[in-house]
Amino acid sequence: MVTRFVLALVLINSINGCKTEKLNEENKKPGRTEIALVIHGGAGTIRREEMSPEREKAYHVALKQALEAGYTVLENGGTSVDAVVTSISIMEDSPLFNAGKGAVFSHAGKNELDASIMEGNTLMAGAVAGVATIKNPIKAAHAVMTKSSHVMLTGNGADQFAKEQGLEIVDQAYFFDSARYQQFLELSPPAKANEKTAARKEKKFGTVGAVALDQLGNIAAGTSTGGMTNKKYGRVGDSPIIGAGTYAKNISCGVSATGWGEYFIRLLVAHDISAMMEYAGLSLEAAADSVIMKKLPALGGDGGIIALDRSGNISMTFNTDGMYRGFIRKKGEAKTFIYKDEDLSASE
């Protein structure tokens, strides 16, 4: 009897083991707590023939620097939120991207910056929009999330709040970039370009973003941008809007978006991807493809997203010619990409 009972237990455990193995295979090991980080530096018209080898190398170096810095935070037991802030701050400090130092100019000839961050465990979020003197807007968004009772602060009020929190404040001259200014001149009077012309003529959307998964299984996502060249009347895009340009929820995924913001707002792109996973049971990749490759183009929009789910699965989905992007799962193994035909699977 004892022998039969033991054999029965072995058989049951064997069956359950097969079921577990199959589930892990289908969902790429759900529940694991391996750390991961994925970033983007903007999607848009990015073609090899328009890129010098030196500039291409500079983008790869900048992306790897942001990945490695954020991964170090995770590796040392830091939170996903801290990793996101670290990675995005590095990209904000680089003139290569349309965020922070490399922000584009508005119709008024100013740099007006937006950023947001969200934590997937508590659903806490913070954002700033239309700020003009904060060196790293992502840090201001983080301060709004952790040191205020609000989700979004805008304009002068957000600048003042950041100053009161001890964040680094700079003169507008800090953000000046000659290439961005020339781009602004080409799209402003007497050219009299409207917002639609500006969006189509821009070489790329340089918004930056990061999504991280930490050792505790918590997801965080953040996005930062200078917005659209020649934007008018205090325009705010999707980047600082929770659910449009940024969203994070542990039971589904974290998302950071880049593209023509008005369309991402109308579709609530970041939240829609999360909701399709949570309510329809879609995989991360299936949800991202549905929104970015089908819904967004159908409405007339373009751009892309990076996303990371609780199992560490990564999506870098875009419908443009390219997207500055990269991911890291192991120290020293950061992988970065620019062009559309670089289709190395994130699961490798």
Side-chain angles (χ1 to χ4, degrees):
M1 289 291 292
V2 174
T3 302
R4 290 179 180 178
F5 179 74
V6 171
L7 288 173
L9 282 177
V10 170
L11 181 59
I12 291 171
N13 287 335
S14 176
I15 293 172
N16 286 339
C18 290
K19 289 180 179 178
T20 301
E21 186 175 65
K22 183 178 181 180
L23 179 65
N24 286 344
E25 181 180 347
E26 291 175 352
N27 296 302
K28 297 184 179 180
K29 300 179 181 179
R32 75 181 185 186
T33 54
E34 295 178 15
I35 58 178
L37 175 67
V38 58
I39 66 173
H40 71 77
T45 305
I46 308 169
R47 301 190 180 100
R48 284 188 175 87
E49 58 268 26
E50 298 175 351
M51 180 88 70
S52 69
E54 294 77 17
R55 192 167 180 83
E56 182 174 334
K57 181 180 179 180
Y59 275 111
H60 283 293
V61 169
L63 289 169
K64 286 182 178 179
Q65 182 184 6
L67 283 168
E68 289 168 356
Y71 187 83
T72 297
V73 172
L74 296 172
E75 187 180 40
N76 291 334
T79 68
S80 53
V81 168
D82 289 339
V84 165
V85 171
T86 297
S87 292
I88 290 180
S89 293
I90 288 175
M91 291 187 283
E92 287 177 335
D93 291 343
S94 171
L96 290 172
F97 306 105
N98 175 20
K101 178 69 174 176
V104 299
F105 290 81
S106 71
H107 185 71
K110 295 176 59 181
N111 307 105
E112 300 171 4
L113 316 173
D114 308 328
S116 65
I117 190 166
M118 186 171 185
E119 197 272 322
N121 182 38
T122 63
L123 302 187
M124 291 288 288
V128 293
V131 299
T133 64
I134 304 170
K135 181 175 182 287
N136 293 108
I138 191 63
K139 293 181 179 179
H142 179 251
V144 172
M145 179 176 76
T146 58
K147 298 180 180 180
S148 82
S149 58
H150 306 300
V151 171
M152 180 184 287
L153 297 178
T154 67
N156 294 335
D159 281 314
Q160 180 62 31
F161 173 78
K163 185 176 181 180
E164 292 172 356
Q165 297 305 315
L167 299 183
E168 188 170 357
I169 302 300
V170 296
D171 187 86
Q172 266 271 304
Y174 166 80
F175 302 108
F176 182 86
D177 178 76
S178 58
R180 294 294 191 190
Y181 190 67
Q182 182 59 41
Q183 186 180 47
F184 160 68
L185 293 178
E186 293 173 358
L187 295 171
S188 60
K192 296 182 179 179
N194 59 28
E195 292 94 336
K196 190 172 183 178
T197 302
R200 291 304 186 197
K201 191 171 181 180
E202 279 197 84
K203 296 296 182 183
K204 64 181 182 66
F205 301 102
T207 296
V208 304
V211 184
L213 174 68
D214 63 28
Q215 292 179 5
L216 297 178
N218 292 323
I219 299 172
T223 312
S224 181
T225 189
M228 181 185 291
T229 300
N230 199 39
K231 61 185 179 182
K232 297 180 177 64
Y233 319 123
R235 178 260 188 188
V236 174
D238 66 305
S239 295
I241 297 178
I242 302 302
T246 300
Y247 195 74
K249 197 171 186 178
N250 277 5
I251 63 172
S252 53
C253 66
V255 180
S256 174
T258 169
W260 195 340
E262 278 70 13
Y263 294 93
F264 282 73
I265 294 171
R266 293 167 186 165
L267 284 173
L268 282 176
V269 163
H271 180 267
D272 195 25
I273 292 172
S274 171
M276 293 180 76
M277 294 179 67
E278 182 177 357
Y279 304 133
L282 270 64
S283 68
L284 176 64
E285 197 62 34
D289 283 348
S290 177
V291 177
I292 300 302
M293 307 307 291
K294 297 177 182 177
K295 292 184 179 182
L296 190 62
L299 195 65
D302 55 5
I305 59 94
I306 53 168
L308 182 62
D309 70 16
R310 61 181 178 176
S311 300
N313 299 314
I314 290 170
S315 174
M316 301 182 290
T317 305
F318 55 98
N319 59 27
T320 54
D321 289 331
M323 182 170 74
Y324 299 101
R325 62 203 188 276
F327 69 92
I328 183 169
R329 286 201 180 102
K330 294 181 181 180
K331 186 176 182 179
E333 296 186 14
K335 298 181 180 181
T336 59
F337 315 90
I338 297 177
Y339 308 107
K340 191 173 186 177
D341 58 6
E342 294 175 296
D343 192 25
L344 180 64
S345 172
S347 64
E348 291 185 357

